Amino acid sequence: MSRTIDVELSVETEYLSEQSEPEQDQFVFAYTITIENKSPYPIKLLNRKWVVTDANGKVTEVMGDGVVGKQPRIEPGKSFKYTSGTVLKTPLGHMEGSYGMVNDDGTEWQLPIPLFRLAMPNILH
């Protein structure tokens, strides 16, 4: 049985100047992701895969179970929001990836995370 799962994903980013040390090539960013389940079925986030790229073209892949130590179940009409972070060696970069999800009927699927930019304030004109 095939179900269409309607999920909305939004991302907000923030440069953490108090944790960054530009003279040491350490630029710290926080990102807040909201996953909203607009389908009539519960869904569960099982794992994540990130591809993080800095301005030098250095690519880092990060994979693991859940997010921030959780594998949230998101009921219909509800959302799950969390904040995490990453450290780059450049003041500019981007991230993209996917979440491994599962429906209550056991069907596993991938929720793509569109590319989003990480940028120190005033670095882009």
Side-chain angles (χ1 to χ4, degrees):
M1 179 167 114
S2 177
R3 294 181 182 168
T4 300
I5 303 296
D6 186 10
V7 178
E8 189 172 299
L9 188 140
S10 63
V11 181
E12 297 172 38
T13 63
E14 181 183 4
Y15 173 67
L16 302 179
S17 59
E18 68 281 357
Q19 295 180 31
S20 297
E21 295 182 30
E23 63 285 349
Q24 304 291 323
D25 292 332
Q26 179 174 303
F27 301 87
V28 181
F29 297 91
Y31 54 90
T32 299
I33 298 199
T34 304
I35 304 166
E36 187 176 353
N37 183 2
K38 295 188 163 196
S39 78
Y41 311 105
I43 58 175
K44 184 175 180 179
L45 189 156
L46 297 177
N47 54 57
R48 70 194 181 284
K49 177 181 179 182
W50 286 110
V51 178
V52 185
T53 307
D54 72 14
N56 294 328
K58 180 177 184 282
V59 176
T60 305
E61 286 195 14
V62 180
M63 292 182 275
D65 291 338
V67 290
V68 294
K70 298 177 182 173
Q71 291 183 316
R73 176 183 164 93
I74 308 167
E75 297 294 331
K78 301 290 184 184
S79 62
F80 175 76
K81 182 176 184 176
Y82 76 96
T83 300
S84 191
T86 192
V87 180
L88 300 180
K89 290 190 176 296
T90 61
L92 184 64
H94 62 266
M95 292 177 65
E96 62 187 316
S98 61
Y99 294 124
M101 308 292 290
V102 66
N103 299 348
D104 273 2
D105 66 4
T107 304
E108 293 190 17
W109 49 282
Q110 295 294 309
L111 174 61
I113 306 164
L115 184 139
F116 59 91
R117 178 172 285 150
L118 302 165
M120 186 175 154
N122 305 315
I123 197 82
L124 298 174
H125 300 289

